[in-house]
Amino acid sequence: MIHTTGLEPMIKRTYLATVILAVVSSFFCLSCSNKDKQFGPAVTSRDSTSVITTRGVDMLISENGIIRYHVIAEEWKIFDKMDPPFYSMESGVMLEVLDSLMEVESMIVADTAYYLIDDEIWHLIRNVHAENINNEEFDTPELYVNNRSNRMYSDSIIHIKQERQIIVGHGFESNTSLTEYTIRKTEGVFPITESK
């Protein structure tokens, strides 16, 4: 007489291992059988992606052979196939406007900046802070710098801190050195009180 009581657990384990192996094998066979399967949208065009991404940028930019700007940015992206093409600096930027002797005329910092290549316009956005050689400070949420006309302008609210007062207006236009400017829709002039 043959006793099978010692073999039953081993047969059950062998049967279970065979079932698991069959399930895993069929999974691999099914995943390999569909070779034309799409795994997600791929970038088919370079139009919407930057051609160059540079980090730790410290550069000089010239206009007609004359160095006009000193730019420091954490990240600089070039989108040359977009319509219109532009540069993107979305991690903060410092822009110094230089005179013909490469002396700083004005300095601007902003959280984000775009440069429209065809129009030669800087578009600075969020926490825009500028200073001129007269120690005046300009704060606005948005500022444009037009290279062709050598003008700066904004349609947003602007605070101008001078030595003895703060001027608040809505709209602003200036030369690139920020020394000759016009404030539109002045909302107030507030004297600065010096604490003793």
Side-chain angles (χ1 to χ4, degrees):
M1 188 159 190
I2 301 174
H3 297 285
T4 60
T5 54
L7 295 175
E8 287 177 11
M10 191 170 84
I11 292 171
K12 286 181 182 176
R13 282 194 302 260
T14 305
Y15 177 74
L16 184 61
T18 305
V19 170
I20 291 173
L21 183 62
V23 170
V24 171
S25 297
S26 65
F27 174 75
F28 281 120
C29 289
L30 287 174
S31 64
C32 294
S33 66
N34 190 2
K35 294 187 184 213
D36 296 332
K37 184 176 179 182
Q38 295 293 325
F39 290 103
V43 177
T44 57
S45 172
R46 194 174 69 72
D47 293 357
S48 62
T49 60
S50 62
V51 63
I52 296 175
T53 299
T54 307
R55 290 179 176 81
V57 174
D58 188 341
M59 65 173 12
L60 298 171
I61 299 175
S62 64
E63 265 180 25
N64 301 321
I66 299 170
I67 296 174
R68 290 286 294 142
Y69 300 100
H70 176 213
V71 180
I72 297 174
E74 187 175 323
E75 184 177 76
W76 178 297
K77 293 183 178 181
I78 298 175
F79 294 86
D80 66 338
K81 297 296 182 185
M82 293 291 285
D83 185 21
F86 65 93
Y87 302 148
S88 166
M89 292 142 275
E90 297 181 347
S91 300
V93 65
M94 184 187 82
L95 176 68
E96 290 179 330
V97 180
L98 307 174
D99 64 15
S100 59
L101 300 174
M102 290 190 59
E103 297 291 330
V104 177
E105 288 184 341
S106 59
M107 181 277 303
I108 308 166
V109 294
D111 289 351
T112 302
Y114 300 100
Y115 180 73
L116 304 175
I117 298 168
D118 294 342
D119 296 329
E120 298 181 33
I121 293 176
W122 291 90
H123 183 194
L124 300 121
I125 308 169
R126 286 187 297 280
N127 298 315
V128 181
H129 176 81
E131 296 178 11
N132 66 14
I133 57 174
N134 300 324
N135 295 319
E136 293 177 307
E137 299 179 16
F138 303 77
D139 291 288
T140 182
E142 184 176 43
L143 183 67
Y144 293 89
V145 181
N146 188 320
N147 288 358
R148 290 180 185 164
S149 64
N150 290 317
R151 303 298 291 170
M152 293 187 190
Y153 54 91
S154 175
D155 291 326
S156 300
I157 192 165
I158 187 159
H159 294 77
I160 302 173
K161 182 179 177 184
Q162 299 174 334
E163 185 179 352
R164 299 193 182 278
Q165 63 189 5
I166 296 174
I167 303 171
V168 179
H170 203 93
F172 163 83
E173 186 174 348
S174 172
N175 58 357
T176 53
S177 61
L178 292 168
T179 54
E180 299 173 8
Y181 50 85
T182 303
I183 305 162
R184 296 188 297 274
K185 297 181 186 174
T186 305
E187 295 179 2
V189 178
F190 306 98
I192 296 175
T193 57
E194 294 182 12
S195 59
K196 294 182 180 181

